[in-house]
């Protein structure tokens, strides 16, 4: 098992830590917690913060597509006390300011004393050349980019009830940015529509698909890791012609979708308009792992199943 944590202070210049995220992803094999500190980490999320997460998950897609990267924000109930009690945490990865990271390690171990094993501090050392441009002038880490678009791009993104949907087979970086964004902008209830097994029976390498229960449980578990205490409601998507909970639950306020499924959100809003419900705010997340607008190159469960089938055939 290899479970690490790295801290990011959003009040510091991005060049203080941005390259360390890539190194931390490379150094972690199972799960990477990213603990956000600073004033911005305590405030409600906005477009810029979700764009920052999209960059992180693009790094995951590039290096380790199925790495379980979990963002921990104070505004989403992640206090230092709660972080310290993560029972699977093994190591803290030292960032640029090693002294600050050493203090964080001491603070966490103080809180774990007598209840959980101490965590170890591991200095980050580049084990591979950084990508071209990685050492260029720093960018504003929370500047809005094409990674996230919303119907309301200014101000906080915070809703009582939101919806998201997908297949969620072999949870990967593309799924995690959708689910993380949904959890972070939701205060009360998140609705997840999960594609039923029946609708997937003609998918490529359908025999390798995880079951509905496995896919649903993985999605719920991840969202509740991002925002502890979040109420998550689920339903199977069995008929593409039938309205989903995003359409029929009148109290729903927003929906999180990928760039390729915006039409589905538009259809849901059209249905809500026809039936007297307020249209949803649409939070659109770009395709993770794609090159520009090239949907063919995006990270997908189909691609992961194809890779697994190829490995099995060559074994």
């Amino acid at each position: 098992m290899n479970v690490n944590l790295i801290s990011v202070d959003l009040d510091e210049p991005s060049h203080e830590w941005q390259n360390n995220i890539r190194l931390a992803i490379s150094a972690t094999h199972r799960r990477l917690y990213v603990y956000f500190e600073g004033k911005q980490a305590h405030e409600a999320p906005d477009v810029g913060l979700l764009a920052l997460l999209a960059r992180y998950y693009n790094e995951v897609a590039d290096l380790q597509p199925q790495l379980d990267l979990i963002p921990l924000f104070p505004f989403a109930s992640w206090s230092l006390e709660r972080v310290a009690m993560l029972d699977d945490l093994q190591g803290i990865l030292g960032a640029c300011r090693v002294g600050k990271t050493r203090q964080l390690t001491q603070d966490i171990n103080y809180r774990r004393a007598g209840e959980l094993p101490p965590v170890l501090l591991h200095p980050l050392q580049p084990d591979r050349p950084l990508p071209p441009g990685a050492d260029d002038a720093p960018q504003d880490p929370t500047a809005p980019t094409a990674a996230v678009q919303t119907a309301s791009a200014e101000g906080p993104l915070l809703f009582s009830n939101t919806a998201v949907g997908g297949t969620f087979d072999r949870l990967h970086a593309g799924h995690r940015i959708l689910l993380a964004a949904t959890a972070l902008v939701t205060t009360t209830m998140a609705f997840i529509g999960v594609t039923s097994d029946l609708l997937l029976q003609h998918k490529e390498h359908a025999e390798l698909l995880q079951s509905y229960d496995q896919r649903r449980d993985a999605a719920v578990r991840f969202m509740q890791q991002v925002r502890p205490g979040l109420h998550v409601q689920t339903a199977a998507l069995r008929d593409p012609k039938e309205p989903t909970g995003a359409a029929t639950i009148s109290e729903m306020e927003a929906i999180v979708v990928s760039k390729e499924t915006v039409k589905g959100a538009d259809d849901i809003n059209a249905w809500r308009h026809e039936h007297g419900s307020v249209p949803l705010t649409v939070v659109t997340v770009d395709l993770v792992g794609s090159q520009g607008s090239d949907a063919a190159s995006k990270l997908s469960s189909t691609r992961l199943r194809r890779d697994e089938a190829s490995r099995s055939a060559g074994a």
Side-chain angles (χ1 to χ4, degrees), residues 56-93:
Y56 286 9
Y57 282 108
N58 265 309
E59 295 285 8
V60 174
D62 181 38
L63 295 168
Q64 296 197 65
Q66 291 182 269
L67 176 68
D68 191 11
L69 186 149
I70 302 176
L72 310 178
F73 285 93
F75 74 75
S77 300
W78 278 104
S79 63
L80 181 58
E81 288 71 22
R82 174 167 267 161
V83 171
M85 299 313 292
L86 288 165
D87 59 8
D88 63 344
L89 182 61
Q90 297 174 311
I92 296 181
L93 302 178

Side-chain angles (χ1 to χ4, degrees), residues 4-309:
N4 294 320
L5 178 144
I6 186 170
S7 67
V8 170
D9 189 334
L10 293 178
D11 293 343
E12 294 181 351
S14 62
H15 71 273
E16 292 285 342
W17 47 261
Q18 62 184 359
N19 292 337
N20 287 290
I21 291 297
R22 187 172 180 89
L23 295 172
I25 292 169
S26 297
T28 305
H29 305 301
R30 182 185 171 210
R31 178 171 296 142
L32 177 63
Y33 294 107
V34 182
Y35 176 49
F36 291 88
E37 301 180 275
K39 180 182 177 181
Q40 295 181 63
H42 288 79
E43 298 174 346
D46 59 13
V47 170
L49 186 132
L50 297 186
L52 171 65
L53 281 185
R55 293 192 193 111
Y56 286 9
Y57 282 108
N58 265 309
E59 295 285 8
V60 174
D62 181 38
L63 295 168
Q64 296 197 65
Q66 291 182 269
L67 176 68
D68 191 11
L69 186 149
I70 302 176
L72 310 178
F73 285 93
F75 74 75
S77 300
W78 278 104
S79 63
L80 181 58
E81 288 71 22
R82 174 167 267 161
V83 171
M85 299 313 292
L86 288 165
D87 59 8
D88 63 344
L89 182 61
Q90 297 174 311
I92 296 181
L93 302 178
C96 299
R97 298 189 177 184
V98 177
K100 185 173 182 178
T101 308
R102 185 177 295 112
Q103 183 61 54
L104 175 63
T105 306
Q106 293 173 355
D107 290 344
I108 286 178
N109 282 333
Y110 175 79
R111 290 165 171 80
R112 292 167 72 93
E115 297 189 50
L116 293 169
V119 296
L120 302 177
L121 172 60
H122 301 290
L124 278 174
Q125 299 293 336
D127 59 357
R128 66 180 70 189
L130 290 173
D135 293 321
D136 290 349
Q139 299 177 343
D140 179 357
T142 57
T145 70
V148 179
Q149 302 169 348
T150 68
S152 177
E154 296 183 359
L157 293 173
L158 214 53
F159 310 93
S160 294
N161 306 304
T162 62
V164 68
T167 300
F168 305 119
D169 178 48
R170 286 167 171 72
L171 214 60
H172 57 64
H175 298 139
R176 287 189 170 92
I177 181 57
L178 276 176
L179 296 170
T182 304
L184 292 174
V185 304
T186 307
T187 60
T188 304
M189 187 275 289
F191 173 84
I192 309 178
V194 182
T195 309
S196 67
D197 291 336
L198 181 64
L199 291 183
L200 300 175
Q201 58 184 335
H202 298 302
K203 283 274 191 179
E204 183 178 348
H205 297 295
E207 72 282 0
L208 298 178
L209 277 161
Q210 295 175 320
S211 71
Y212 171 82
D213 287 349
Q214 289 175 307
R215 295 181 284 111
R216 177 201 61 202
D217 292 350
V220 171
R221 182 168 54 251
F222 178 77
M223 289 189 72
Q224 292 179 333
Q225 288 173 317
V226 174
R227 185 182 278 275
L230 178 65
H231 174 60
V232 182
Q233 181 178 332
T234 65
L237 304 178
R238 295 188 174 90
D239 186 346
K241 297 180 181 179
E242 290 294 320
T244 71
T248 60
I249 299 174
S250 60
E251 299 82 8
M252 199 66 68
E253 298 174 3
I255 184 169
V256 181
V257 297
S258 67
K259 187 173 65 175
E260 63 181 351
T261 57
V262 172
K263 183 182 182 303
D266 292 340
D267 291 343
I268 287 171
N269 274 337
W271 192 97
R272 289 177 66 89
H273 177 74
E274 292 173 5
H275 292 79
S277 295
V278 177
L280 306 176
T281 297
V282 180
V283 179
T284 307
V285 180
D286 207 350
L287 300 176
V288 167
S290 63
Q291 300 298 319
S293 60
D294 181 12
S297 68
K298 71 160 188 167
L299 174 63
S300 70
S301 298
T302 299
R303 195 177 94 190
L304 294 175
R305 290 196 305 275
R306 188 182 300 134
D307 291 345
E308 181 178 333

